[in-house]
Amino acid sequence: MKKVIIVAILLLIFSGFYHINIGNYETYLTIKQDLVQHPEWLPEKEFAKKTAIGFQNLRADIYRLEAIQYIGGNAINSEYKKYLFKVLDLVTELNPFFEHPYIIGELLLPSYNERYESLPDEEQQKNIHEAEQIWLKGVRNFCNMEKVEAIKQEEDLQKIWSDAYLRNPCQTYSIPYYLAYIYYFYKQDPITASSYYKVASANDDAVSGAKVMAAIMQGKWGNRQKAFLMFLNIAKFIEDNESCQAYAEDVENTWLLAFQGRIPLNGYLIKTIEDSRNTLFWTYNPEDEKNALYDTQCSNFVNKAIRELNLLYIEAANEQFKTDHNGNTARNAKALLNEGYIDFLPTDFQQYETYGIIYEYNPELGTFDYTMGNYDN
């Protein structure tokens, strides 16, 4: 009789586990379908927290994994950005200590590829603002805010790096490190960017580039030089790619020699860097554009750094052009080549059959910039 009772109890227990697992699997399928097909149906984060008591981490992980599928399924036209912030905000509410969702938001939300996307400026700015908000949420969740504020107010970098109280303000350096990138590159706010580079540099696990960028942002460097070195520093730490990282280091060292006046920043140097990039590592392939421009690729940031170097070279030539033409500027880089102010026309890595990124003067910015087009128009 006892055996019968024990068997009955075990059957009851296993039946309960079965139904629980079936229920969890059905919940998983519901989440998957809602997120991939109808992300607008996602619950508000407050409601999700209340209804996931005891299972918040599990549900957060499901949402996170399906967010990746949602992004992949809508990657071509970047339609995923419409609901990406809501998804990531929900995931980080259910489990504030997933670092991966913050990284997804920081890298993907603010990026913009005009070949695949057609968004008004207001929508682009909204995406940048959402990236900032998700990353600031990461700082609040991963960092000691008293230390963060103290570091932001401290101008002495050596004190930040030596004061025991200021050390390790965050659980990981990457949260403030990439937030600084948003402020500098997308929000054109180098002062706030400098603050977060300082915060990142105070962590024991910080990459050497965090201290470099903290110093550069406080120095009297031009914006183009700062952007160039920022891209190279991200390239060296964003992806475990030894050949790309080594090349980024070589480009940085070469530029430092030019900046110190030990070698000239001329057409020969620009051509050498361009040729070595194409020969040793990659030639841009429009068919593989999604991978080449993906914001977690070392190669993408190296290419962006070389773009800034090209613009430095062109701007220096344009200053001489202005001197010789009563303050008037050249229309584009090809005009500078045609009139002998540069002896090599840099080709941006992003090129297609009949058009691509070209370098031309932007009167609104008062400097040269890159834009999509061709030099024949």
Side-chain angles (χ1 to χ4, degrees), residues 100-274:
H100 187 246
Y102 299 104
I103 295 174
I104 291 176
E106 185 273 335
L107 293 175
L108 297 185
L109 270 171
S111 63
Y112 182 72
N113 185 339
E114 60 188 23
R115 188 177 183 216
Y116 294 129
E117 300 177 75
S118 180
L119 297 176
D121 289 342
E122 296 79 15
E123 190 71 17
Q124 293 181 50
Q125 291 304 313
K126 173 178 171 288
N127 291 337
I128 293 170
H129 176 71
E130 289 177 342
E132 176 192 12
Q133 292 309 302
I134 201 72
W135 215 245
L136 285 171
K137 185 178 183 180
V139 169
R140 292 193 297 272
N141 289 331
F142 280 81
C143 303
N144 179 321
M145 294 308 297
E146 289 187 6
K147 287 189 177 184
V148 167
E149 292 305 316
I151 291 170
K152 288 166 70 174
Q153 298 300 317
E154 180 58 60
E155 295 298 323
D156 186 345
L157 292 178
Q158 293 300 324
K159 182 177 181 180
I160 292 173
W161 300 335
S162 61
D163 190 320
Y165 170 72
L166 297 178
R167 288 178 59 190
N168 296 314
C170 302
Q171 295 178 37
T172 172
Y173 83 93
S174 61
I175 296 291
Y177 184 72
Y178 292 117
L179 180 58
Y181 168 61
I182 289 179
Y183 277 110
Y184 187 86
F185 187 68
Y186 291 108
K187 297 186 73 68
Q188 288 81 51
D189 184 354
I191 294 176
T192 305
S194 175
S195 295
Y196 284 106
Y197 275 126
K198 289 193 297 184
V199 173
S201 72
N203 253 55
D204 288 345
D205 69 338
V207 295
S208 59
K211 289 187 176 182
V212 170
M213 290 311 302
I216 287 172
M217 285 294 171
Q218 293 201 161
K220 298 184 181 299
W221 297 56
N223 286 335
R224 192 74 73 192
Q225 289 94 332
K226 289 177 181 178
F228 171 78
L229 290 169
M230 178 188 67
F231 285 137
L232 286 181
N233 269 282
I234 293 177
K236 288 187 287 185
F237 305 113
I238 195 70
E239 179 190 17
D240 188 15
N241 183 328
E242 291 185 5
S243 60
C244 180
Q245 292 167 334
Y247 183 64
E249 186 75 25
D250 288 343
V251 172
E252 181 177 341
N253 290 337
T254 300
W255 179 82
L256 287 172
L257 291 175
F259 182 74
Q260 295 166 357
R262 296 166 64 182
I263 59 174
L265 180 59
N266 56 19
Y268 176 77
L269 177 61
I270 297 297
K271 183 178 186 303
T272 300
I273 290 174
E274 185 175 305

